[in-house]
Amino acid sequence: MSNTEESSDRPVDEQNKSHAGHLRSNSYDRAVSGEHSKINDSIVENPSPKCDKKLSEIKQIDNDIYIIKWIEFNHERVPILLQNVNGPCPLLAIANILLLRQRIRLNPNAGAISTEHVIAMIAEYILQIDTTKLSADDRANYEQNVADALSILPKLQTGLNINLKFNGVDKFEYTRECIVFDLLGIQLFHGWVIDPQNNELQKIVNTNGSSYNQLVEKMIRQKQSNNEELARESLLIEQFLDENRSQLTHYGILQLHETMRDNQLAVFFRNNHFSTIWKNNKQLLLLVSDEGFANHTSIVFETLTDIDNDSSFTDGYGQKWQKPVPVDVSRDHDLAIAIHNEERSQHHEASIQQQQQQQQQQHYHPQQQRYAEEYYCEQSSGKYKKKHRRRSHDEDRDSSCILS
């Protein structure tokens, strides 16, 4: 993947849209997308004093600690951050994408990092966008967007105000918080999409808006209506929300496959939780960021295949993880004892045979003893026949076999 593709997962046409209440010019979009910026080639290892000053002006940051896990990803050794409790934490998902892209880097010997340091590195990455090509008005607008993003960064620890829409996996109601994803070039996805074949529900949703908040308000408003049609619409909405509590539909998974590019990293929103999603070789993979897997270096992703959570673990290359076969220590111990006893018995028998041979050899003349091993007798037609055995390497090679 090229640097441009890697730094901006949001489609160009989506980046160039104007959102109500958030003015963005075309030149600003080009600056963010990388056409006139240096952010594509920027790598942040330590926050600068400028960034520390900016952070000191915003609200207090909870100094939590994230465990660092080093993994193999796309033939590189890279770190990811783990969380010790279940929670929304979009900060974790965003930071892990930047780490996997190697846009922010950690000390190779690091084992943990504070929330404050993570936020400082993300802020530094945002501040590295080159605005020299922007007009004065666009630069002022950009600086305001950066200020908004920096004030939002601490909120990423606990969650974001996200209102998804049911008509597309990349459809969300635009809010102030979305500017963080735009500035970082990270796309946000979900999988709670209504199947177009459900014509009746589609019509209900599209009549009064397609967002989650609008649908819930419509359900509550029409639930006690005397109008039979309105009451029925409320019932259908309630059934849809109840049957899809996982906030994932079969059609949503199909749309994710169609919408995401191969090797694309993005943030996936589901059940008020933000995770890192990666599409690799037609697979949808969710980054395993639970601290309980800190010591399982070969477990990196979890497949997203259906709405029933029938998933499997993979490594950092998307290859299915195989559970190691447990070793039966007691069985190995018993086998070792049996082999040892058998070897000792064989050694004992060999010793006895050797002693018997030595006793027999003492009855021979020294010269006879020399040739005792070379001849044997067999009786044939009432006569004894002596047959020479094959001589060893150390004996006279010119000697011929003697038959008598």
Side-chain angles (χ1 to χ4, degrees):
M1 179 180 292
S2 66
N3 285 340
T4 304
E5 290 176 334
E6 185 174 292
S7 65
S8 179
D9 286 333
R10 184 177 295 275
V12 175
D13 58 338
E14 188 71 18
Q15 291 179 15
N16 292 333
K17 289 181 180 179
S18 297
H19 298 278
H22 198 87
L23 180 62
R24 292 161 52 179
S25 66
N26 290 335
S27 55
Y28 164 74
D29 288 325
R30 288 195 298 270
V32 173
S33 63
E35 184 175 339
H36 295 297
S37 71
K38 297 179 180 178
I39 192 170
N40 294 329
D41 300 322
S42 299
I43 297 175
V44 175
E45 298 188 7
N46 292 294
S48 65
K50 176 184 177 182
C51 177
D52 292 334
K53 182 179 179 181
K54 286 279 186 181
L55 289 176
S56 65
E57 298 173 356
I58 61 181
K59 64 178 293 186
Q60 184 66 31
I61 299 172
D62 294 332
N63 197 21
D64 295 330
I65 298 296
Y66 293 113
I67 299 297
I68 298 173
K69 177 180 177 180
W70 291 87
I71 63 170
E72 291 289 331
F73 175 72
N74 271 353
H75 306 285
E76 295 284 348
R77 183 176 182 267
V78 295
I80 60 171
L81 307 184
L82 307 179
Q83 63 182 139
N84 55 5
V85 292
N86 292 327
C89 204
L91 175 66
L92 195 75
I94 290 174
N96 281 332
I97 288 179
L98 295 179
L99 287 169
L100 292 174
R101 290 177 177 174
Q102 299 192 56
R103 292 310 179 207
I104 60 176
R105 293 183 177 177
L106 303 179
N107 188 314
N109 299 320
I113 188 172
S114 67
T115 304
E116 183 177 6
H117 196 181
V118 173
I119 293 177
M121 295 184 78
I122 295 175
E124 176 76 1
Y125 184 71
I126 293 175
L127 289 171
Q128 288 191 16
I129 298 177
D130 184 10
T131 61
T132 57
K133 301 296 183 179
L134 297 177
S135 65
D137 292 339
D138 291 334
R139 188 179 298 111
N141 183 42
Y142 163 77
E143 291 175 354
Q144 181 60 51
N145 290 329
V146 169
D148 291 342
L150 293 179
S151 65
I152 292 169
L153 284 179
K155 298 179 182 179
L156 297 177
Q157 303 170 85
T158 56
L160 288 176
N161 181 20
I162 295 295
N163 185 25
L164 61 85
K165 295 184 178 182
F166 296 101
N167 59 347
V169 292
D170 56 351
K171 306 300 182 184
F172 294 86
E173 186 179 273
Y174 196 85
T175 60
R176 180 169 171 262
E177 287 84 353
C178 292
I179 187 61
V180 176
F181 295 94
D182 284 339
L183 289 175
L184 293 173
I186 295 175
Q187 195 161 0
L188 182 63
F189 288 109
H190 70 89
W192 204 1
V193 184
I194 298 175
D195 192 331
Q197 294 183 359
N198 192 339
N199 297 325
E200 189 172 8
L201 187 60
Q202 277 279 26
K203 181 179 178 181
I204 294 172
V205 172
N206 295 330
T207 299
N208 195 31
S210 59
S211 73
Y212 172 80
N213 291 344
Q214 291 170 328
L215 200 62
V216 171
E217 291 173 359
K218 186 173 185 176
M219 179 189 68
I220 296 173
R221 185 175 62 251
Q222 297 181 183
K223 191 171 187 178
Q224 304 299 329
S225 175
N226 294 326
N227 186 309
E228 184 176 345
E229 183 178 352
L230 296 180
R232 172 177 168 73
E233 289 181 355
S234 177
L235 179 62
L236 289 175
I237 295 173
E238 186 175 9
Q239 288 178 347
F240 169 75
L241 297 178
D242 185 63
E243 292 173 359
N244 297 276
R245 290 182 178 179
S246 64
Q247 297 189 3
L248 185 66
T249 63
H250 292 292
Y251 185 74
I253 294 177
L254 292 175
Q255 264 217 342
L256 283 170
H257 278 285
E258 294 176 358
T259 306
M260 292 189 67
R261 303 186 308 275
D262 192 49
N263 206 34
Q264 181 180 5
L265 287 164
V267 173
F268 183 65
F269 176 74
R270 181 185 181 190
N271 285 332
N272 199 33
H273 181 78
F274 297 81
S275 56
T276 301
I277 187 171
W278 179 44
K279 183 179 178 182
N280 175 60
N281 291 330
K282 299 181 180 180
Q283 289 188 105
L284 298 177
L285 304 171
L286 299 175
L287 186 68
V288 178
S289 58
D290 191 291
E291 195 172 295
F293 294 90
N295 296 324
H296 297 274
T297 55
S298 59
I299 296 179
V300 181
F301 292 98
E302 183 179 9
T303 59
L304 179 65
T305 55
D306 55 41
I307 62 176
D308 298 321
N309 293 325
D310 185 14
S311 60
S312 58
F313 293 120
T314 76
D315 59 17
Y317 303 96
Q319 301 298 319
K320 188 175 181 180
W321 176 78
Q322 299 292 339
K323 185 177 181 179
V325 178
V327 178
D328 190 344
V329 179
S330 61
R331 182 179 177 183
D332 289 349
H333 179 67
D334 294 340
L335 180 61
I337 292 177
I339 294 175
H340 173 71
N341 291 337
E342 184 178 357
E343 290 177 347
R344 185 171 61 180
S345 176
Q346 292 176 353
H347 177 72
H348 180 67
E349 292 178 359
S351 299
I352 294 176
Q353 291 178 359
Q354 184 177 8
Q355 290 177 2
Q356 291 176 348
Q357 291 176 357
Q358 290 176 354
Q359 291 174 358
Q360 292 176 358
Q361 290 175 359
Q362 291 176 357
H363 300 288
Y364 290 99
H365 186 274
Q367 185 175 359
Q368 292 176 330
Q369 182 176 348
R370 175 183 175 186
Y371 295 103
E373 297 178 355
E374 300 181 2
Y375 298 91
Y376 69 91
C377 296
E378 64 179 6
Q379 188 173 7
S380 174
S381 302
K383 296 181 179 181
Y384 288 96
K385 180 184 292 185
K386 288 185 289 184
K387 187 176 183 180
H388 193 275
R389 69 169 176 85
R390 184 181 297 274
R391 292 182 179 272
S392 69
H393 178 75
D394 295 331
E395 294 174 329
D396 186 5
R397 297 183 180 181
D398 293 332
S399 299
S400 60
C401 293
I402 302 174
L403 296 177
S404 59

